[in-house]
Amino acid sequence: MDKIGYRHASCFVAALTGQAPERGEGPIDYSPGDIFLGLDLQHHVVDVQREYLAKLRRDGVKVFFVVYDLLPVQMPEAFMAGMQAAHETWLRNVTQFDGVVCISRAVAEELRRWMDGGGPRRIRPLAISWFHLGADLEKDLPETPCDMDSASSWATQPNRPTFLSVGTIEPRKAYRQTLEAFEILWDKGLDVNLVIVGRQGWSVEALVEKLRSH
């Protein structure tokens, strides 16, 4: 992770596919006119590779990054300590290059406001665009939709209103507030279901324990 430059991940891909590597693990090849697109959020890696990426750009490669959100900067209280500084450094790094592609128009507008409010100084404007997130739902369907215990449990639920919340269980999703709101409804005698689908995130140990023993 701390080595300068990017390399072919042939062995990694081979391990995933079960096929023999097509090439070695040497440095990537690039030429003027190529595009480097940073897809993943990698605070430390981008900081380490900053000068290498600058060299790619000097050699004629266009350097772009995908920006998912600015939430660690906007809502630092909902993230682990140090994440705000790490994310702001990452934003300053990626906005020094050719452009960014955001996962929604809202994020693109937030990034423009962040740039106007104190982002890196640039001679040329940063190219900021956005796209719609998508999913191949048919391909992603599991072979077994759910385990039998879950299926039988759901089948025995009375015909009552059900509220569904989908997303990682983490502080900024306000699951604690949601649960407290439903506890008020249940105390008042409202017969409704609350269903939460999502893996456990960070700083929610007490909430998850409460959900498991509710």
Side-chain angles (χ1 to χ4, degrees):
M1 188 167 61
D2 290 327
K3 293 181 179 179
I4 302 302
Y6 290 83
R7 307 178 73 85
H8 293 285
S10 302
C11 293
F12 175 77
V13 173
L16 291 178
T17 61
Q19 300 176 356
E22 295 183 0
R23 62 166 75 193
E25 296 276 305
I28 61 171
D29 306 308
Y30 62 88
S31 302
D34 287 347
I35 295 175
F36 174 94
L37 177 61
L39 286 172
D40 204 0
L41 175 60
Q42 298 179 318
H43 294 119
H44 176 70
V45 172
V46 172
D47 199 36
V48 170
Q49 301 294 344
R50 182 178 51 192
E51 293 302 322
Y52 177 80
L53 292 168
K55 180 181 184 304
L56 291 186
R57 195 180 183 202
R58 290 193 299 270
D59 290 341
V61 176
K62 297 291 186 181
V63 179
F64 289 82
F65 285 89
V66 174
V67 174
Y68 293 87
D69 59 57
L70 284 73
L71 291 173
V73 174
Q74 298 167 325
M75 302 173 58
E77 69 281 359
F79 292 86
M80 294 177 286
M83 185 59 68
Q84 179 183 13
H87 201 67
E88 182 159 359
T89 297
W90 179 81
L91 286 172
R92 292 189 177 278
N93 283 333
V94 302
T95 53
Q96 291 177 3
F97 296 102
D98 294 290
V100 299
V101 188
C102 302
I103 63 165
S104 69
R105 183 168 64 182
V107 173
E109 292 173 351
E110 290 170 354
L111 182 63
R112 289 190 180 96
R113 289 195 292 270
W114 180 83
M115 291 287 293
D116 292 340
R121 293 184 177 182
R122 296 179 55 92
I123 298 176
R124 297 192 183 101
L126 177 70
I128 301 176
S129 58
W130 61 278
F131 65 98
H132 291 291
L133 287 174
D136 188 343
L137 297 180
E138 292 185 0
K139 181 179 179 182
D140 291 340
L141 286 176
E143 294 181 3
T144 303
C146 60
D147 61 80
M148 294 307 298
D149 289 341
S150 297
S152 59
S153 175
W154 186 256
T156 59
Q157 293 296 321
N159 185 20
R160 61 166 69 98
T162 296
F163 295 82
L164 174 64
S165 183
V166 180
T168 303
I169 301 175
E170 43 143 309
R172 66 186 173 92
K173 300 294 179 64
Y175 279 115
R176 182 182 301 279
Q177 181 180 8
T178 300
L179 181 59
E180 291 173 351
F182 273 82
E183 287 175 334
I184 293 173
L185 296 178
W186 293 326
D187 286 343
K188 290 183 177 181
L190 272 73
D191 194 18
V192 297
N193 293 324
L194 171 61
V195 177
I196 297 174
V197 179
R199 67 177 178 84
Q200 180 175 340
W202 56 89
S203 303
V204 289
E205 290 77 12
L207 173 59
V208 169
E209 179 59 30
K210 184 175 183 180
L211 288 171
R212 288 173 174 161
S213 60
H214 200 282

